[in-house]
Amino acid sequence: VNEALSKKCHDENTPRFLEVLKLRHECATLLGYQSHGHYMCETKMVETPEKAEEFLLELLEVYRPKCLEELDLLLDMKRKDFVDSAANAKNEDDSKLDPWDVSYYTQLYKSKYAGVDEAALREFFPL
C-alpha cells in the first residue's frame, strides 16, 4: 500500500517534473549560473551547492549514530509488542521496522516516555 501510494500518478508527473528541472537549468544558465543550485545558493549563507552538500554530509555523520540508536529503540518497542500480538501467531517478521512502524512507534514513544500529547499540541498549531 505504501509503495503504491508513493507511485501514484508516477507516469503523469515524471515527465512534468523532468520538464521543470530542464526549465530551471535553462533559466539559471541564461542568467549566467552553472546550475539552478548555484542560482538558488548564491544569496544564501551556504553560497554554493558544494558547500550545501558538504554541510549535509557533516550533519549526516554527526547525527547518524543517534538516528540508529533511536531506530533500535523503536525496533525494541516493536519486538515487545510483537511478543504479545497476533502477528506473532502469524509468524510475521519482527526483525525490521517498516515505514509505517517508524511513525507509529515514534508517536507511541512520545506519548509514553516523553509526555508529548500530539492531539493537545494540535490545538496550539492548527493547519
Side-chain angles (χ1 to χ4, degrees):
V1 174
N2 201 30
E3 187 175 339
L5 285 174
S6 71
K7 293 183 179 179
K8 191 173 166 182
C9 300
H10 182 267
D11 293 337
E12 295 86 5
N13 288 332
T14 299
R16 292 178 182 139
F17 180 72
L18 293 173
E19 182 66 15
V20 167
L21 292 177
K22 179 182 156 207
L23 291 172
R24 283 181 171 181
H25 180 74
E26 185 179 326
C27 287
T29 54
L30 286 172
L31 291 170
Y33 294 93
Q34 186 178 343
S35 69
H36 180 71
H38 286 85
Y39 168 67
M40 293 302 295
C41 290
E42 182 187 48
T43 60
K44 309 287 190 290
M45 187 181 345
V46 73
E47 297 174 347
T48 68
E50 294 80 15
K51 286 183 181 178
E53 182 180 19
E54 182 182 332
F55 175 70
L56 292 173
L57 290 172
E58 286 175 16
L59 287 177
L60 183 62
E61 185 179 326
V62 170
Y63 289 108
R64 181 181 295 254
K66 183 65 175 168
C67 177
L68 295 174
E69 178 185 321
E70 290 181 3
L71 288 171
D72 283 341
L73 177 79
L74 299 180
L75 184 57
D76 287 343
M77 291 175 69
K78 179 181 179 178
R79 286 182 178 140
K80 287 176 187 166
D81 277 355
F82 186 80
V83 170
D84 300 328
S85 72
N88 191 8
K90 295 178 186 175
N91 294 322
E92 292 182 15
D93 187 13
D94 73 333
S95 64
K96 67 181 180 76
L97 284 171
D98 292 307
W100 51 88
D101 291 330
V102 175
S103 58
Y104 172 76
Y105 286 104
T106 298
Q107 179 191 10
L108 186 65
Y109 178 84
K110 286 178 181 178
S111 65
K112 192 172 183 179
Y113 300 107
V116 175
D117 181 358
E118 291 188 2
L121 284 175
R122 283 189 201 106
E123 293 177 24
F124 299 102
F125 303 102
L127 293 177

